[in-house]
Amino acid sequence: MKYNFDEIIPRRGSNSYKWDSAAKDNVLPMWVADMDFRTALPVIDALQKRVAHGIFGYTKVPESYFDSIIGWFDRRHNFAVEREWILFTTGVVPALSAVIKALTEPGDKVIVQTPVYNCFFSSIRNNGCEIVSNELVYKNGTYSIDFDDLEQKASDPAAKLLLLCSPHNPAGRVWNKEELEKIGEICLRNHVIVVSDEIHCDLVYPGHTHIPFASVSREFLYNSVTCTASSKTFNLAGLQCANILSADPAIKAKIDKALNINEVCEINPFAVEALIAAYNEGEEWLEELKVYLYDNYQYLAEFFKKYLPHLPILPLEATYLVWVDCTALKQTSKEIAENLLDKENLLINEGTLYGDAGEGFIRINIATQRANLIKGLEKIRDLYG
């Protein structure tokens, strides 16, 4: 392998939200979703070249930025994106907020499939809308969609949007074509627009394929908005850059207006250079990263099987976020997280952060060096093994 993902890179003291948020210096953070690896060398080289220029004025986004996005989704996801569909903004959460602002009125209902990424809730509430939960069905150690419930929720005339997390965070599911077709057909019948958060689309593991929702059919393309970013893929969240794909000109115009109202319609020069380099030259790094992450997952799975068999982990089809069923402990998610932090100096995410359906679960970020992963797992074993 060209890249050494085992190399420990000190992050504490670098103003890292992940590493510098804990009150104590000896806390091992396996919570917030960023990685402890340096990004791809072509990205670093591009940023160093931009820094050397020394002038950081207002940025005009070049056509090469859009070309890199189009090329990436064509090569990696068999999705023919057109230049006219693309809007850029400072992150997927601002993108979601702008889309909700553009396509709803205060009091409208927005459907989410819980447990789900916590910022979905704040983006809905901040726009004065009502959260409606189409709770995922947890059975036989995995999650599936309750389509009858989704049909019922979508049939409410007040329901305007479905926020689709694809791949799903925190459940780690990659929705297959049949599932996406059922979602799309229900939403078409009930005039509900699908807003697909596909930020984890590049981190999919063997045996699974990410299918962009908008690529399934022309009808789905025009009844959806897709939010994407290179941030999870290449560990670039701090550069603040995301893209919104909308094929419907009227919908795109509304979103463009909302981005300007929210004043998140510009991106910085480093974000531009990083995305172009990542999408044009970063595939070798990504392929090596995925192997390392999946090896981390397999190590974790074997560790839990041996030392913590009473705590089932869900199959990880995508992302680097492992969802763990801790209901056998008879403790709340908050109690488990607090105990791990207070007694073992391990910081993980409590399941209820992702809605009431997450009670009894925890989320572990495995995008770290193997040595850190082992330390974290041993802390869980020492407390709950």
Side-chain angles (χ1 to χ4, degrees), residues 322-363:
V322 177
W323 193 236
V324 184
D325 181 353
C326 298
T327 52
L329 299 178
K330 307 300 182 184
Q331 295 180 343
T332 67
S333 295
K334 183 177 181 180
E335 288 170 340
I336 296 167
E338 288 177 346
N339 286 338
L340 285 169
L341 181 58
D342 295 341
K343 298 177 182 179
E344 296 293 336
N345 297 312
L346 178 67
L347 185 54
I348 52 85
N349 288 118
E350 60 189 71
T352 45
L353 184 65
Y354 311 99
D356 292 341
E359 183 60 271
F361 290 76
I362 61 172
R363 194 189 78 169

Side-chain angles (χ1 to χ4, degrees), residues 42-56 270 273:
V43 176
I44 296 172
D45 291 343
L47 291 173
Q48 289 175 334
K49 182 179 179 181
R50 187 65 185 84
V51 168
H53 184 259
I55 300 173
F56 313 114
F270 303 110
E273 299 300 332

Side-chain angles (χ1 to χ4, degrees), residues 60-205:
K60 179 181 182 294
V61 178
E63 285 303 309
S64 56
Y65 175 93
F66 301 101
D67 291 342
S68 67
I69 296 168
I70 292 168
W72 182 263
F73 281 92
D74 181 42
R75 293 193 310 276
R76 303 290 300 191
H77 302 293
N78 195 31
F79 182 24
V81 174
E82 296 184 12
R83 164 68 178 85
E84 292 73 22
W85 302 351
I86 304 171
L87 292 165
F88 50 78
T89 185
T90 55
V92 164
V93 174
L96 292 169
S97 293
V99 172
I100 294 169
K101 177 184 282 292
L103 304 181
T104 67
E105 298 291 339
D108 285 345
K109 296 180 179 180
V110 178
I111 303 169
V112 296
Q113 296 173 308
T114 55
V116 75
Y117 179 47
N118 53 295
C119 287
F120 280 13
F121 306 126
S122 56
S123 292
I124 295 167
R125 292 192 190 102
N126 290 344
N127 282 285
C129 293
E130 180 182 339
I131 299 166
V132 176
S133 178
N134 167 227
E135 188 172 321
L136 298 176
V137 178
Y138 180 55
K139 185 178 181 181
N140 298 326
T142 190
Y143 283 98
S144 60
I145 297 169
D146 186 340
F147 290 106
D148 290 337
D149 181 71
L150 178 58
E151 182 86 56
Q152 180 183 354
K153 302 289 173 59
S155 67
D156 184 340
K160 303 300 182 182
L161 304 177
L162 165 68
L163 299 193
L164 176 66
C165 198
S166 178
H168 192 277
N169 170 19
R173 275 297 317 275
V174 175
W175 306 120
N176 60 43
K177 187 174 182 181
E178 181 182 1
E179 290 169 318
L180 294 175
E181 287 175 340
K182 288 181 179 179
I183 291 169
E185 289 162 1
I186 289 171
C187 289
L188 278 174
R189 276 198 299 274
N190 294 285
H191 308 290
V192 171
I193 296 173
V194 176
V195 182
S196 190
D197 171 3
E198 303 190 9
I199 195 170
H200 292 281
C201 67
D202 298 310
L203 299 171
V204 175
Y205 302 119

Side-chain angles (χ1 to χ4, degrees), residues 186-237:
I186 289 171
C187 289
L188 278 174
R189 276 198 299 274
N190 294 285
H191 308 290
V192 171
I193 296 173
V194 176
V195 182
S196 190
D197 171 3
E198 303 190 9
I199 195 170
H200 292 281
C201 67
D202 298 310
L203 299 171
V204 175
Y205 302 119
H208 303 279
T209 301
H210 172 73
I211 302 172
F213 177 82
S215 73
V216 175
S217 73
R218 183 173 177 82
E219 291 78 14
F220 291 5
L221 172 65
Y222 281 88
N223 193 55
S224 67
V225 176
T226 304
C227 299
T228 75
S230 59
S231 55
K232 291 293 182 285
T233 309
F234 291 96
N235 206 26
L236 302 174

Side-chain angles (χ1 to χ4, degrees), residues 207-317:
H208 303 279
T209 301
H210 172 73
I211 302 172
F213 177 82
S215 73
V216 175
S217 73
R218 183 173 177 82
E219 291 78 14
F220 291 5
L221 172 65
Y222 281 88
N223 193 55
S224 67
V225 176
T226 304
C227 299
T228 75
S230 59
S231 55
K232 291 293 182 285
T233 309
F234 291 96
N235 206 26
L236 302 174
L239 294 184
Q240 297 188 314
C241 179
N243 297 287
I244 303 169
L245 311 178
S246 176
D248 186 304
I251 290 176
K252 183 192 173 190
K254 291 179 180 179
I255 297 170
D256 193 17
K257 181 178 179 180
L259 289 170
N260 280 271
I261 291 171
N262 287 354
E263 297 183 345
V264 288
C265 52
E266 304 293 341
I267 52 177
N268 68 71
F270 303 110
V272 172
E273 299 300 332
L275 181 140
I276 293 171
Y279 280 172
N280 288 347
E281 304 175 70
E283 290 183 74
E284 180 183 18
W285 180 90
L286 174 59
E287 291 306 317
E288 293 190 16
L289 169 74
K290 287 168 62 178
V291 170
Y292 191 87
L293 289 174
Y294 196 67
D295 285 348
N296 267 3
Y297 164 67
Q298 290 180 309
Y299 184 95
L300 177 145
E302 287 301 315
F303 189 97
F304 268 77
K305 183 178 179 181
K306 182 176 181 179
Y307 297 110
L308 297 155
H310 52 296
L311 304 181
I313 65 167
L314 275 73
L316 191 65
E317 300 173 359

